[in-house]
Each structure stands twice: as C-alpha cells, then as structure tokens.
Amino acid sequence: MPEGAGGSSAGLLSCAPGLRLLFGATLASALGTWLAYVALVIDVYDRTGSAAWVSALLFAEFAPMIVIGLLAGPLLDRLPRRRVLIAADLIRAAAFCLVPFAGNSLQIILIAMIAGAATSAFRPAVYAGLPNLVSDGDLVRANGLLQAADNATIAVGPVLGGLLVALVGPAPSYWLNAASFALSALLIWRIRESLETGEAKSRGHWRDLADGLRLLGTSRGLLTVVVVWSAVMLGTGAISVSEVVLAKRVFGAGDAGYGLMLTAVGVGLVIGSLQAGRLIHARGVRLLYAAGIGLMAAATAAAALSPGVATASIALAFGGLGNGAALVGNAILVQRDVPDQARGRAFTLAMSTNYVALGIGMIVAGPVTDALGARATWGIAAGVIGGAAVTAAVMTRGVAASRSSRQRAV
C-alpha cells in the first residue's frame, strides 16, 4: 500500500493489535508523565524560587539519554525490545513512588534522573520496534498515532496537573504517574508480535558502537535529524526552562496559566501529528519538515511578544501543530533510512545528540532568564529554531525520494 493511502487511524488500530496495545501504553504513561511534569516543575520552583533549579531538574530527566545513546545504544539492538520496554516502565513506576518522600529539591532531582534513565531506553525502543508492528504503507499513520497519543496528554495533563497541585499539592500527581507506568508495562507485556526482525549480530560492544556512529555517513535521514533537530532542541531547552517564569512572573497567570500554555501546545501537537500522514502523502516529507519547524519559530516569537497568557497560548497552539508534524517527520526519516538491526542505535544516537543540545539550552537558559527575562529568552529561542527550519529545507533535498530501508537492506 502506498504511503499514507487509504484507511483511517481508528481502522489501523483495530486491525493491528500490537500497535493498539502500544498506543494504549503510550497514552497511559504519557498522561501520568505530564501530571508529574507540572508537579515537579512547580514543586521545585516553589521550593527554590529560581529558574536555575528548574533547569537542573529538567536536565536531570534527560541527561541519562546522552550516556545511553553514546555508550549503550547497541544493547537496544541486541536485547528483546519488549523486555526493555517493560523493565523501563517498572523502573519509572518505582521511581515516582519515591518522589513524594523526597525531603528537598536535590533528592527530587536525583530521583528524576533515575526515571530519566529508564525513559532513555524506552523511547528509542518504541520507535525502533514500531515498523515491525505495521506494514510499510501504514508506517506514517502509525507514527502519527503514537505521537498523537503522547501529545494528546499535553492537552489535558498540564491543566489537570496545575489544578491538582493548586488544590492538593504535588504528591497525588506523583502517585498517578507511578500507576500509569504500571499500566503501560501490563499493556506492553500483552503484545505478542515481535518488535524486531531477528537477533542483531554483534561484532563486540565497541565495534557495534562504532558501526552506529558510522550510520551518520551512510544515512542522510539520520544525519538530518541529528543536525536539524538538535538546533530545534537547543531553542526548546530555553523555552522549557523559562516557560514557568513567563507564565507566572511576566503574565501573572499562576499555576493554571502555566498549565494552559502547555495545554495549548498539546492541542496543536495532536492536530499536527494526526495530519502529518496526509501532508507527507500529498507534499512529501521535505516540505512538511521545514514548514513545521518554521511554524514553531514563528509561534515562539509571537508568544514572546504577547501581552498576556491567552494570546501566547493561541500562538503556542500553532507552534504545537508544526511541532507535531515535524516529530512524525523525524521518525520517518530514521525508520525508512536505517535497517532494523541498527535502528535502536540510530534512534539512541539521534536522541542523545538532540538531548545534548537540549541540555545546553536548559543550562544556558536558567541564568539568561534570571538576567534578561523570559521574553528575551523566548526571542533568542525563536531565532535558533528559525535557523533550523532553513537548514531542514536544505538537508532534506532529495530525501523524500529515498527507498525504504527495509527494501534496501535485504
């Protein structure tokens, strides 16, 4: 079946039981994660009153991705992906059972790092295994569905999280997140289809690692995601750290206002991810990718100039639409240009380099926001993301014509 042709998203879920279970697991864990995300940020910010501490928290959540991507990526091609996913969920559930008992912000950050380590294995294993659950013609829609499940929770979780923290404090959000990971593990355990085409042959850990790095020279799609999305993540890191300051200090909108801004992004993300398949089929991945990132840049600039939280939220909804479409483009660029036996390494390599950029953005954003203010930080981020859109248009030239790696790799 040609890319993006025929059928509905609901129909795809009904005829692909493995995808349906993975979709449910993603939806459950992502909702809990966003409840806890808002609680963690507000908890740490209220304890310390400093954007720098928020920066440290967010960095701790994704820093393990850098280590896993650079050192442990080959393991995700050798170990059964379903077991990796279940183990990651159980570790995250245990971690968030500990957070309510943390006595200070440092302890919260250390526990968040444990959960981040598990997430670092979970996400690349999901997207590396997804092409084995659906046909090649359904792959774009399947990616859009998983992104939509993840993103739909941004439209609900932040508002619920903000209200929940305002009413009863952060602890209930942490418990709900732990329960969501337990449910996710159960659903993934029920998947009976294989998430890999066969056992990847190993030449030894360090040679396998070197083979993964060499993919940058042979896969134009992977190289594009590494370069372009790293620039996007640099700007996103600055936005993530300063967003709570923009909502609470600049706009005076409080916890609920912060949740509203995140929710607006989530609404756009859902629409963008669900429409990505149709857009790729009609226009190709190049236009979708560059235009989506460009829309993110324009929305960030508009939010920085907004007079209040309502106007900023409208702008962020459009930015989320572009983000959702571009995220599907990221997955397709890697999945269709890298063989299954190396796809775990490809995704961990891409995610690790992206998160290095995100970490730099977050580290810099804390003191910059304290010194220059949230509006200036968002303006700088808009410029960085705009540059990434131009780079995307150049680097994806001709990528849409690439054949599927599963056809080439046989």
Side-chain angles (χ1 to χ4, degrees), residues 160-368:
L160 292 179
L163 293 174
L164 194 60
V165 173
L167 291 173
V168 294
S173 295
Y174 301 147
W175 292 116
L176 287 172
N177 194 26
S180 75
F181 287 132
L183 176 59
S184 175
L186 176 62
L187 292 173
I188 292 171
W189 176 75
R190 294 182 58 199
I191 295 176
R192 292 296 172 257
E193 296 92 334
S194 175
L195 292 173
E196 51 273 316
T197 57
E199 185 177 353
K201 296 180 180 179
S202 175
R203 303 198 306 142
H205 179 78
W206 296 108
R207 287 186 178 182
D208 291 346
L209 185 62
D211 290 341
L213 294 174
R214 278 194 286 270
L215 290 170
L216 289 173
T218 60
S219 170
R220 189 173 175 184
L222 175 60
L223 181 62
T224 298
V225 173
V226 167
V227 173
V228 172
W229 207 249
S230 291
V232 173
M233 293 290 261
L234 184 66
T236 300
I239 291 169
S240 297
V241 170
S242 56
E243 190 163 15
V244 67
V245 182
L246 188 68
K248 297 183 70 170
R249 187 179 298 171
V250 177
F251 294 149
D255 297 342
Y258 173 59
L260 176 63
M261 290 173 65
L262 293 175
T263 295
V265 175
V267 171
L269 280 165
V270 172
I271 297 172
S273 57
L274 288 176
Q275 293 300 313
R278 181 180 61 83
L279 294 172
I280 289 176
H281 178 60
R283 299 294 182 181
V285 70
R286 182 188 182 202
L287 179 61
L288 171 89
Y289 198 53
I293 296 171
L295 186 56
M296 291 174 64
T300 302
L305 298 172
S306 294
V309 70
T311 307
S313 296
I314 293 172
L316 292 176
F318 282 98
L321 192 152
N323 195 348
L327 284 169
V328 175
N330 275 338
I332 291 298
L333 285 169
V334 176
Q335 288 167 341
R336 289 205 162 160
D337 207 37
V338 178
D340 181 63
Q341 290 80 6
R343 205 176 287 139
R345 277 167 285 180
F347 272 106
T348 52
L349 176 60
M351 291 180 184
S352 64
T353 52
N354 292 165
Y355 278 118
V356 167
L358 182 66
I360 293 171
M362 288 181 170
I363 290 171
V364 172
V368 169

Side-chain angles (χ1 to χ4, degrees), residues 120-146:
S120 298
F122 186 91
R123 291 188 66 83
V126 166
Y127 286 97
L130 178 61
N132 299 307
L133 295 179
V134 297
S135 68
D136 187 68
D138 289 327
L139 186 57
V140 174
R141 278 192 297 149
N143 277 291
L145 279 167
L146 285 192

Side-chain angles (χ1 to χ4, degrees), residues 9-23:
S9 296
L12 180 57
L13 287 176
S14 67
C15 67
L19 175 64
R20 184 168 61 249
L21 290 167
L22 191 60
F23 176 86

